Amino acid sequence: MPPPTTISRPTRPASEALLNEKWDYCLSSMLIRSSIGLSFGVIFSVLVFKRRAWPALVGLGFGAGRAWEGCDAAFRRGENITPSEGVRLVRS
């Protein structure tokens, strides 16, 4: 029987890996900041605004907006959010 052949799988290009890291960071940031904003909105709703829904929604919107701005800035900058091993950023 012939020896098994090894199939080399192509690795992802560095640009795709960087893009994946940015999207992962953005999605996790959106989830965290939105939930924090929602939490503050619920607290203010219960303590100050007699259990109305709008403070919770406003808090959710502020958290999502902060995450959106952070992600937009990261994509426009073109820098690494988390530096990867073996990837070097060359600035011109």
Side-chain angles (χ1 to χ4, degrees), residues 24-60:
D24 288 344
Y25 173 78
C26 287
L27 291 176
S28 65
S29 175
M30 180 75 76
L31 180 69
I32 290 168
R33 291 181 185 200
S34 295
S35 62
I36 289 173
L38 181 67
S39 300
F40 276 107
V42 167
I43 290 170
F44 280 112
S45 174
V46 169
L47 295 178
V48 179
F49 296 108
K50 298 180 183 175
R51 296 188 182 172
R52 307 240 185 218
W54 66 267
L57 296 176
V58 169
L60 179 71

mmCIF file of all heavy atoms in Angstrom, residues 24-60:
data_model
loop_
_atom_site.group_PDB
_atom_site.id
_atom_site.type_symbol
_atom_site.label_atom_id
_atom_site.label_comp_id
_atom_site.label_asym_id
_atom_site.label_seq_id
_atom_site.Cartn_x
_atom_site.Cartn_y
_atom_site.Cartn_z
ATOM 1 N N ASP A 24 -14.285 40.576 14.574
ATOM 2 C CA ASP A 24 -14.499 39.952 15.886
ATOM 3 C C ASP A 24 -14.504 41.000 16.985
ATOM 4 O O ASP A 24 -15.362 40.987 17.879
ATOM 5 C CB ASP A 24 -13.421 38.913 16.173
ATOM 6 C CG ASP A 24 -13.571 37.663 15.341
ATOM 7 O OD1 ASP A 24 -14.655 37.459 14.756
ATOM 8 O OD2 ASP A 24 -12.594 36.894 15.261
ATOM 9 N N TYR A 25 -13.543 41.912 16.924
ATOM 10 C CA TYR A 25 -13.472 42.978 17.922
ATOM 11 C C TYR A 25 -14.723 43.853 17.861
ATOM 12 O O TYR A 25 -15.291 44.209 18.891
ATOM 13 C CB TYR A 25 -12.218 43.826 17.698
ATOM 14 C CG TYR A 25 -12.163 45.039 18.584
ATOM 15 C CD1 TYR A 25 -11.784 44.927 19.919
ATOM 16 C CD2 TYR A 25 -12.503 46.284 18.097
ATOM 17 C CE1 TYR A 25 -11.748 46.037 20.741
ATOM 18 C CE2 TYR A 25 -12.478 47.395 18.915
ATOM 19 C CZ TYR A 25 -12.090 47.270 20.232
ATOM 20 O OH TYR A 25 -12.067 48.369 21.036
ATOM 21 N N CYS A 26 -15.150 44.201 16.656
ATOM 22 C CA CYS A 26 -16.309 45.082 16.503
ATOM 23 C C CYS A 26 -17.589 44.439 17.017
ATOM 24 O O CYS A 26 -18.390 45.080 17.700
ATOM 25 C CB CYS A 26 -16.480 45.478 15.037
ATOM 26 S SG CYS A 26 -15.237 46.652 14.481
ATOM 27 N N LEU A 27 -17.789 43.180 16.703
ATOM 28 C CA LEU A 27 -19.002 42.505 17.161
ATOM 29 C C LEU A 27 -19.017 42.339 18.680
ATOM 30 O O LEU A 27 -20.049 42.552 19.325
ATOM 31 C CB LEU A 27 -19.152 41.157 16.464
ATOM 32 C CG LEU A 27 -19.457 41.239 14.966
ATOM 33 C CD1 LEU A 27 -19.477 39.845 14.364
ATOM 34 C CD2 LEU A 27 -20.767 41.951 14.716
ATOM 35 N N SER A 28 -17.873 41.991 19.252
ATOM 36 C CA SER A 28 -17.837 41.841 20.705
ATOM 37 C C SER A 28 -17.984 43.193 21.388
ATOM 38 O O SER A 28 -18.661 43.310 22.414
ATOM 39 C CB SER A 28 -16.550 41.149 21.149
ATOM 40 O OG SER A 28 -15.428 41.951 20.856
ATOM 41 N N SER A 29 -17.380 44.231 20.814
ATOM 42 C CA SER A 29 -17.527 45.574 21.370
ATOM 43 C C SER A 29 -18.976 46.040 21.285
ATOM 44 O O SER A 29 -19.495 46.654 22.234
ATOM 45 C CB SER A 29 -16.621 46.546 20.620
ATOM 46 O OG SER A 29 -16.814 47.858 21.057
ATOM 47 N N MET A 30 -19.634 45.746 20.168
ATOM 48 C CA MET A 30 -21.045 46.129 20.010
ATOM 49 C C MET A 30 -21.908 45.432 21.056
ATOM 50 O O MET A 30 -22.773 46.059 21.674
ATOM 51 C CB MET A 30 -21.531 45.773 18.606
ATOM 52 C CG MET A 30 -22.968 46.122 18.332
ATOM 53 S SD MET A 30 -23.278 47.855 18.077
ATOM 54 C CE MET A 30 -22.653 48.066 16.438
ATOM 55 N N LEU A 31 -21.680 44.163 21.280
ATOM 56 C CA LEU A 31 -22.458 43.414 22.264
ATOM 57 C C LEU A 31 -22.228 43.942 23.678
ATOM 58 O O LEU A 31 -23.180 44.175 24.431
ATOM 59 C CB LEU A 31 -22.098 41.925 22.184
ATOM 60 C CG LEU A 31 -22.828 41.008 23.135
ATOM 61 C CD1 LEU A 31 -24.295 40.917 22.741
ATOM 62 C CD2 LEU A 31 -22.206 39.645 23.143
ATOM 63 N N ILE A 32 -20.982 44.176 24.026
ATOM 64 C CA ILE A 32 -20.648 44.617 25.385
ATOM 65 C C ILE A 32 -21.169 46.021 25.647
ATOM 66 O O ILE A 32 -21.838 46.290 26.645
ATOM 67 C CB ILE A 32 -19.131 44.530 25.612
ATOM 68 C CG1 ILE A 32 -18.698 43.066 25.664
ATOM 69 C CG2 ILE A 32 -18.728 45.253 26.901
ATOM 70 C CD1 ILE A 32 -17.208 42.867 25.605
ATOM 71 N N ARG A 33 -20.882 46.946 24.728
ATOM 72 C CA ARG A 33 -21.278 48.340 24.961
ATOM 73 C C ARG A 33 -22.790 48.518 24.896
ATOM 74 O O ARG A 33 -23.357 49.327 25.637
ATOM 75 C CB ARG A 33 -20.581 49.254 23.969
ATOM 76 C CG ARG A 33 -19.095 49.333 24.253
ATOM 77 C CD ARG A 33 -18.388 50.227 23.310
ATOM 78 N NE ARG A 33 -16.966 50.170 23.566
ATOM 79 C CZ ARG A 33 -16.121 51.091 23.186
ATOM 80 N NH1 ARG A 33 -16.545 52.144 22.524
ATOM 81 N NH2 ARG A 33 -14.845 50.964 23.452
ATOM 82 N N SER A 34 -23.440 47.780 24.022
ATOM 83 C CA SER A 34 -24.904 47.872 23.959
ATOM 84 C C SER A 34 -25.541 47.343 25.236
ATOM 85 O O SER A 34 -26.497 47.931 25.753
ATOM 86 C CB SER A 34 -25.435 47.100 22.757
ATOM 87 O OG SER A 34 -24.998 47.682 21.569
ATOM 88 N N SER A 35 -25.011 46.251 25.749
ATOM 89 C CA SER A 35 -25.585 45.698 26.974
ATOM 90 C C SER A 35 -25.307 46.599 28.175
ATOM 91 O O SER A 35 -26.161 46.730 29.061
ATOM 92 C CB SER A 35 -25.079 44.277 27.219
ATOM 93 O OG SER A 35 -23.681 44.277 27.385
ATOM 94 N N ILE A 36 -24.153 47.246 28.204
ATOM 95 C CA ILE A 36 -23.870 48.187 29.289
ATOM 96 C C ILE A 36 -24.816 49.383 29.197
ATOM 97 O O ILE A 36 -25.373 49.839 30.203
ATOM 98 C CB ILE A 36 -22.393 48.626 29.264
ATOM 99 C CG1 ILE A 36 -21.506 47.459 29.696
ATOM 100 C CG2 ILE A 36 -22.160 49.832 30.173
ATOM 101 C CD1 ILE A 36 -20.030 47.723 29.543
ATOM 102 N N GLY A 37 -25.006 49.903 27.994
ATOM 103 C CA GLY A 37 -25.934 51.020 27.809
ATOM 104 C C GLY A 37 -27.354 50.645 28.180
ATOM 105 O O GLY A 37 -28.075 51.427 28.814
ATOM 106 N N LEU A 38 -27.763 49.450 27.786
ATOM 107 C CA LEU A 38 -29.093 48.967 28.146
ATOM 108 C C LEU A 38 -29.233 48.835 29.661
ATOM 109 O O LEU A 38 -30.266 49.206 30.234
ATOM 110 C CB LEU A 38 -29.368 47.623 27.461
ATOM 111 C CG LEU A 38 -30.730 46.998 27.728
ATOM 112 C CD1 LEU A 38 -31.828 47.845 27.094
ATOM 113 C CD2 LEU A 38 -30.759 45.588 27.170
ATOM 114 N N SER A 39 -28.202 48.349 30.310
ATOM 115 C CA SER A 39 -28.234 48.200 31.769
ATOM 116 C C SER A 39 -28.391 49.543 32.465
ATOM 117 O O SER A 39 -29.206 49.689 33.385
ATOM 118 C CB SER A 39 -26.956 47.516 32.265
ATOM 119 O OG SER A 39 -26.824 46.243 31.688
ATOM 120 N N PHE A 40 -27.607 50.533 32.031
ATOM 121 C CA PHE A 40 -27.741 51.861 32.621
ATOM 122 C C PHE A 40 -29.124 52.434 32.341
ATOM 123 O O PHE A 40 -29.719 53.098 33.199
ATOM 124 C CB PHE A 40 -26.659 52.810 32.105
ATOM 125 C CG PHE A 40 -25.369 52.704 32.855
ATOM 126 C CD1 PHE A 40 -24.265 52.109 32.272
ATOM 127 C CD2 PHE A 40 -25.267 53.196 34.141
ATOM 128 C CE1 PHE A 40 -23.079 52.006 32.956
ATOM 129 C CE2 PHE A 40 -24.076 53.101 34.836
ATOM 130 C CZ PHE A 40 -22.973 52.501 34.246
ATOM 131 N N GLY A 41 -29.638 52.197 31.143
ATOM 132 C CA GLY A 41 -30.975 52.677 30.818
ATOM 133 C C GLY A 41 -32.043 52.053 31.690
ATOM 134 O O GLY A 41 -32.983 52.733 32.127
ATOM 135 N N VAL A 42 -31.936 50.769 31.949
ATOM 136 C CA VAL A 42 -32.910 50.088 32.816
ATOM 137 C C VAL A 42 -32.818 50.625 34.238
ATOM 138 O O VAL A 42 -33.837 50.858 34.898
ATOM 139 C CB VAL A 42 -32.687 48.554 32.770
ATOM 140 C CG1 VAL A 42 -33.448 47.854 33.878
ATOM 141 C CG2 VAL A 42 -33.088 48.013 31.414
ATOM 142 N N ILE A 43 -31.587 50.834 34.717
ATOM 143 C CA ILE A 43 -31.410 51.358 36.076
ATOM 144 C C ILE A 43 -32.039 52.746 36.194
ATOM 145 O O ILE A 43 -32.786 53.034 37.137
ATOM 146 C CB ILE A 43 -29.917 51.370 36.459
ATOM 147 C CG1 ILE A 43 -29.428 49.933 36.651
ATOM 148 C CG2 ILE A 43 -29.680 52.186 37.724
ATOM 149 C CD1 ILE A 43 -27.931 49.803 36.784
ATOM 150 N N PHE A 44 -31.747 53.631 35.229
ATOM 151 C CA PHE A 44 -32.331 54.966 35.272
ATOM 152 C C PHE A 44 -33.842 54.913 35.086
ATOM 153 O O PHE A 44 -34.568 55.730 35.654
ATOM 154 C CB PHE A 44 -31.693 55.875 34.229
ATOM 155 C CG PHE A 44 -30.369 56.433 34.661
ATOM 156 C CD1 PHE A 44 -29.201 56.045 34.046
ATOM 157 C CD2 PHE A 44 -30.306 57.350 35.698
ATOM 158 C CE1 PHE A 44 -27.989 56.552 34.443
ATOM 159 C CE2 PHE A 44 -29.096 57.871 36.109
ATOM 160 C CZ PHE A 44 -27.926 57.474 35.477
ATOM 161 N N SER A 45 -34.307 53.977 34.281
ATOM 162 C CA SER A 45 -35.744 53.842 34.070
ATOM 163 C C SER A 45 -36.446 53.480 35.371
ATOM 164 O O SER A 45 -37.502 54.028 35.689
ATOM 165 C CB SER A 45 -36.020 52.778 33.012
ATOM 166 O OG SER A 45 -37.395 52.531 32.894
ATOM 167 N N VAL A 46 -35.867 52.572 36.114
ATOM 168 C CA VAL A 46 -36.491 52.131 37.367
ATOM 169 C C VAL A 46 -36.372 53.199 38.448
ATOM 170 O O VAL A 46 -37.325 53.472 39.172
ATOM 171 C CB VAL A 46 -35.856 50.801 37.840
ATOM 172 C CG1 VAL A 46 -36.284 50.451 39.247
ATOM 173 C CG2 VAL A 46 -36.225 49.687 36.884
ATOM 174 N N LEU A 47 -35.204 53.841 38.544
ATOM 175 C CA LEU A 47 -34.972 54.780 39.636
ATOM 176 C C LEU A 47 -35.563 56.168 39.394
ATOM 177 O O LEU A 47 -36.026 56.815 40.326
ATOM 178 C CB LEU A 47 -33.470 54.911 39.898
ATOM 179 C CG LEU A 47 -32.771 53.660 40.411
ATOM 180 C CD1 LEU A 47 -31.284 53.922 40.572
ATOM 181 C CD2 LEU A 47 -33.374 53.189 41.713
ATOM 182 N N VAL A 48 -35.536 56.639 38.154
ATOM 183 C CA VAL A 48 -35.877 58.030 37.899
ATOM 184 C C VAL A 48 -37.149 58.200 37.080
ATOM 185 O O VAL A 48 -37.972 59.060 37.372
ATOM 186 C CB VAL A 48 -34.691 58.745 37.200
ATOM 187 C CG1 VAL A 48 -35.020 60.190 36.896
ATOM 188 C CG2 VAL A 48 -33.434 58.651 38.043
ATOM 189 N N PHE A 49 -37.331 57.390 36.058
ATOM 190 C CA PHE A 49 -38.374 57.660 35.067
ATOM 191 C C PHE A 49 -39.621 56.781 35.198
ATOM 192 O O PHE A 49 -40.346 56.574 34.235
ATOM 193 C CB PHE A 49 -37.796 57.526 33.660
ATOM 194 C CG PHE A 49 -36.744 58.542 33.368
ATOM 195 C CD1 PHE A 49 -35.409 58.170 33.282
ATOM 196 C CD2 PHE A 49 -37.075 59.868 33.175
ATOM 197 C CE1 PHE A 49 -34.437 59.107 33.008
ATOM 198 C CE2 PHE A 49 -36.102 60.808 32.901
ATOM 199 C CZ PHE A 49 -34.778 60.431 32.825
ATOM 200 N N LYS A 50 -39.877 56.257 36.341
ATOM 201 C CA LYS A 50 -41.098 55.499 36.641
ATOM 202 C C LYS A 50 -41.353 54.348 35.662
ATOM 203 O O LYS A 50 -42.441 54.162 35.150
ATOM 204 C CB LYS A 50 -42.309 56.431 36.661
ATOM 205 C CG LYS A 50 -42.222 57.492 37.718
ATOM 206 C CD LYS A 50 -43.443 58.372 37.694
ATOM 207 C CE LYS A 50 -43.291 59.480 38.720
ATOM 208 N NZ LYS A 50 -44.397 60.414 38.659
ATOM 209 N N ARG A 51 -40.316 53.608 35.411
ATOM 210 C CA ARG A 51 -40.370 52.377 34.609
ATOM 211 C C ARG A 51 -40.876 52.585 33.189
ATOM 212 O O ARG A 51 -41.666 51.822 32.659
ATOM 213 C CB ARG A 51 -41.181 51.307 35.312
ATOM 214 C CG ARG A 51 -40.527 50.909 36.594
ATOM 215 C CD ARG A 51 -41.196 49.731 37.215
ATOM 216 N NE ARG A 51 -40.514 49.440 38.481
ATOM 217 C CZ ARG A 51 -40.933 48.580 39.336
ATOM 218 N NH1 ARG A 51 -42.017 47.902 39.092
ATOM 219 N NH2 ARG A 51 -40.278 48.370 40.434
ATOM 220 N N ARG A 52 -40.393 53.604 32.563
ATOM 221 C CA ARG A 52 -40.693 53.834 31.147
ATOM 222 C C ARG A 52 -39.671 53.082 30.301
ATOM 223 O O ARG A 52 -38.580 52.769 30.763
ATOM 224 C CB ARG A 52 -40.632 55.313 30.823
ATOM 225 C CG ARG A 52 -41.483 56.137 31.734
ATOM 226 C CD ARG A 52 -42.485 56.858 30.965
ATOM 227 N NE ARG A 52 -43.232 57.742 31.863
ATOM 228 C CZ ARG A 52 -44.492 57.929 31.740
ATOM 229 N NH1 ARG A 52 -45.168 57.322 30.797
ATOM 230 N NH2 ARG A 52 -45.112 58.734 32.568
ATOM 231 N N ALA A 53 -40.027 52.822 29.067
ATOM 232 C CA ALA A 53 -39.139 52.027 28.202
ATOM 233 C C ALA A 53 -38.077 52.870 27.507
ATOM 234 O O ALA A 53 -37.004 52.363 27.175
ATOM 235 C CB ALA A 53 -39.960 51.290 27.149
ATOM 236 N N TRP A 54 -38.352 54.149 27.290
ATOM 237 C CA TRP A 54 -37.441 54.922 26.461
ATOM 238 C C TRP A 54 -36.041 55.105 27.039
ATOM 239 O O TRP A 54 -35.078 55.136 26.275
ATOM 240 C CB TRP A 54 -38.046 56.273 26.068
ATOM 241 C CG TRP A 54 -38.273 57.235 27.192
ATOM 242 C CD1 TRP A 54 -39.400 57.401 27.912
ATOM 243 C CD2 TRP A 54 -37.325 58.174 27.694
ATOM 244 N NE1 TRP A 54 -39.230 58.387 28.845
ATOM 245 C CE2 TRP A 54 -37.961 58.880 28.731
ATOM 246 C CE3 TRP A 54 -36.015 58.483 27.382
ATOM 247 C CZ2 TRP A 54 -37.318 59.873 29.452
ATOM 248 C CZ3 TRP A 54 -35.375 59.473 28.098
ATOM 249 C CH2 TRP A 54 -36.023 60.163 29.114
ATOM 250 N N PRO A 55 -35.819 55.186 28.364
ATOM 251 C CA PRO A 55 -34.433 55.304 28.836
ATOM 252 C C PRO A 55 -33.591 54.068 28.519
ATOM 253 O O PRO A 55 -32.405 54.179 28.201
ATOM 254 C CB PRO A 55 -34.571 55.493 30.338
ATOM 255 C CG PRO A 55 -35.930 56.028 30.537
ATOM 256 C CD PRO A 55 -36.758 55.389 29.473
ATOM 257 N N ALA A 56 -34.208 52.914 28.558
ATOM 258 C CA ALA A 56 -33.475 51.689 28.225
ATOM 259 C C ALA A 56 -33.103 51.669 26.748
ATOM 260 O O ALA A 56 -31.987 51.288 26.377
ATOM 261 C CB ALA A 56 -34.308 50.465 28.580
ATOM 262 N N LEU A 57 -34.024 52.115 25.904
ATOM 263 C CA LEU A 57 -33.738 52.144 24.466
ATOM 264 C C LEU A 57 -32.696 53.203 24.121
ATOM 265 O O LEU A 57 -31.854 52.995 23.249
ATOM 266 C CB LEU A 57 -35.023 52.375 23.684
ATOM 267 C CG LEU A 57 -36.066 51.266 23.803
ATOM 268 C CD1 LEU A 57 -37.334 51.656 23.069
ATOM 269 C CD2 LEU A 57 -35.514 49.963 23.282
ATOM 270 N N VAL A 58 -32.751 54.329 24.807
ATOM 271 C CA VAL A 58 -31.742 55.369 24.587
ATOM 272 C C VAL A 58 -30.361 54.865 25.021
ATOM 273 O O VAL A 58 -29.365 55.076 24.333
ATOM 274 C CB VAL A 58 -32.127 56.666 25.327
ATOM 275 C CG1 VAL A 58 -30.979 57.658 25.349
ATOM 276 C CG2 VAL A 58 -33.348 57.291 24.681
ATOM 277 N N GLY A 59 -30.291 54.188 26.152
ATOM 278 C CA GLY A 59 -29.021 53.615 26.607
ATOM 279 C C GLY A 59 -28.477 52.587 25.642
ATOM 280 O O GLY A 59 -27.273 52.550 25.360
ATOM 281 N N LEU A 60 -29.369 51.764 25.106
ATOM 282 C CA LEU A 60 -28.968 50.779 24.098
ATOM 283 C C LEU A 60 -28.417 51.470 22.858
ATOM 284 O O LEU A 60 -27.392 51.080 22.311
ATOM 285 C CB LEU A 60 -30.163 49.899 23.731
ATOM 286 C CG LEU A 60 -29.944 48.832 22.669
ATOM 287 C CD1 LEU A 60 -29.079 47.724 23.220
ATOM 288 C CD2 LEU A 60 -31.280 48.287 22.208
#
